[in-house]
């Protein structure tokens, strides 16, 4: 099939027909959580570990071949994990411009997300060409916990750590803070400038919200680090090498 939209739709339909649980990740999840990214139509999906081989079998039946770095250069954080199974959506190749559109599948165990944390997508908001019932999403608290787990396994100087903490800070920022500003550019204020009353209220609200999130018993350190970050007592590098950061 030459039409890329048809290829995407058919692939998703076959996955749904095989009862494969699909969980949105990367761009579409971040957009759903309020981070105003532009999507080029790539698809990033978490799959139960036991179903990942079935995804690859269906892809092969439809004529999709796994992409390596020579075919498709990694451009998104999850692709740096070494666990991603990747396929090109478009046939046309180009060396410059935006990243080429891709299907990327990852084992759910990489994020530590479990089935009971997932929620169905109930509104077709245009993020998917069609919305298979097998595609689920991740609420903000569970997504932030997953980002923190991934960052905690990495050295604070690693590309994955930098990318994932940027995702974490962005989804929290756009979900819990007023990220609007006046004019054509954002003015970055000096660190020693006192916070405004509005900024203090936003921080208090964000801290209260994070305190309300339920974390697993051995992962309460995530709440402590996040609250420390937004109260100025910690930084995102403090997520690294947490001794309790095991899945």
């Amino acid at each position: 099939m030459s039409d890329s939209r048809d290829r995407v739709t058919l692939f998703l339909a076959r996955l749904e027909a095989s009862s494969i649980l699909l969980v949105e990740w990367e761009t579409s999840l971040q957009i759903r959580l309020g981070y105003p990214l532009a999507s080029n139509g790539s698809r990033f999906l978490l799959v139960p570990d036991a179903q990942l081989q079935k995804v690859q079998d269906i892809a092969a039946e439809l004529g999709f071949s796994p992409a390596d770095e020579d075919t498709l250069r990694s451009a998104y954080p999850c692709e740096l994990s070494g666990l991603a199974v990747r396929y090109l959506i478009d046939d046309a190749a180009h060396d410059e411009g935006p990243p080429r559109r891709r299907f990327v599948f990852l084992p759910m165990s990489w994020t530590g997300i479990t089935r009971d944390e997932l929620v169905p997508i109930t509104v077709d908001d245009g993020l998917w060409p069609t919305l298979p019932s097998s595609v689920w999403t991740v609420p903000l608290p569970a997504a932030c916990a997953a980002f923190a787990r991934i960052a905690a396994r990495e050295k604070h100087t690693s590309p994955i750590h930098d990318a994932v903490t940027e995702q974490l800070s962005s989804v929290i920022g756009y979900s819990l803070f007023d990220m609007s500003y006046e004019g054509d550019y954002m003015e970055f204020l000096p660190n020693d400038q006192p916070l405004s009353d509005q900024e203090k209220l936003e921080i208090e609200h964000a801290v209260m919200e994070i305190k309300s999130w339920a974390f697993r018993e051995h992962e309460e350190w995530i709440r402590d680090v996040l609250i420390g970050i937004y109260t100025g007592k910690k930084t995102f590098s403090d997520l690294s090498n947490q001794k309790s950061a095991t899945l």
Side-chain angles (χ1 to χ4, degrees), residues 9 13 16 18-19 31 40 52 59 100 116 119 121 131 158 170 190 198 200 207 212 217 225 233:
T9 302
E16 182 174 24
S18 298
S19 300
I31 293 172
N40 71 347
L52 191 56
R100 301 170 70 185
D116 62 338
V119 294
I121 300 173
L131 187 60
S158 77
S170 296
Q198 178 62 32
K200 291 178 182 177
V207 168
S212 74
E217 184 177 354
V225 173
K233 299 175 182 177

Side-chain angles (χ1 to χ4, degrees), residues 13-182:
R14 286 289 304 275
L15 295 173
E16 182 174 24
S18 298
S19 300
I20 293 176
L21 177 68
L22 305 172
V23 183
E24 63 179 356
W25 190 249
E26 286 285 358
T27 310
S28 64
L29 174 60
Q30 292 173 69
I31 293 172
R32 194 176 304 284
L33 294 176
Y35 187 17
L37 293 173
S39 172
N40 71 347
S42 293
R43 298 292 163 205
F44 302 88
L45 293 160
L46 305 176
V47 178
D49 295 40
Q51 293 186 318
L52 191 56
Q53 183 57 55
K54 182 62 176 177
V55 170
Q56 296 176 74
D57 294 342
I58 292 172
E61 292 169 6
L62 295 177
F64 286 95
S65 298
D68 57 20
E69 283 297 313
D70 292 332
T71 305
L72 184 64
R73 182 173 299 176
S74 295
Y76 297 87
C78 67
E79 295 180 283
L80 303 176
S81 67
L83 301 173
V85 180
R86 307 180 308 133
Y87 302 95
L88 267 171
I89 290 178
D90 301 310
D91 293 328
H94 59 77
D95 296 324
E96 298 179 357
R100 301 170 70 185
R101 298 197 309 160
R102 62 201 69 199
F103 257 122
V104 180
F105 298 90
L106 295 116
M108 282 179 62
S109 61
W110 182 63
T111 66
I113 293 170
T114 58
R115 287 175 182 251
D116 62 338
E117 294 176 305
L118 304 178
V119 294
I121 300 173
T122 57
V123 177
D124 186 352
D125 50 14
L127 292 178
W128 295 85
T130 58
L131 187 60
S133 61
S134 54
V135 179
W136 291 59
T137 192
V138 187
L140 178 65
C144 290
F147 292 142
R149 283 186 211 106
I150 295 167
R153 295 196 299 263
E154 303 290 329
K155 294 181 179 180
H156 73 272
T157 55
S158 77
I160 292 181
H161 182 277
D162 287 347
V164 171
T165 53
E166 190 278 331
Q167 293 175 331
L168 175 59
S169 65
S170 296
V171 297
I172 289 180
Y174 280 95
S175 296
L176 303 183
F177 292 87
D178 179 7
M179 300 294 284
S180 63
Y181 57 92
E182 298 291 335

Side-chain angles (χ1 to χ4, degrees), residues 187-205:
E187 182 179 357
F188 290 91
L189 302 176
N191 291 333
D192 58 356
Q193 178 161 324
L195 295 173
S196 67
D197 290 342
Q198 178 62 32
E199 288 170 326
K200 291 178 182 177
L201 286 173
E202 286 188 343
I203 291 173
E204 289 177 8
H205 168 74

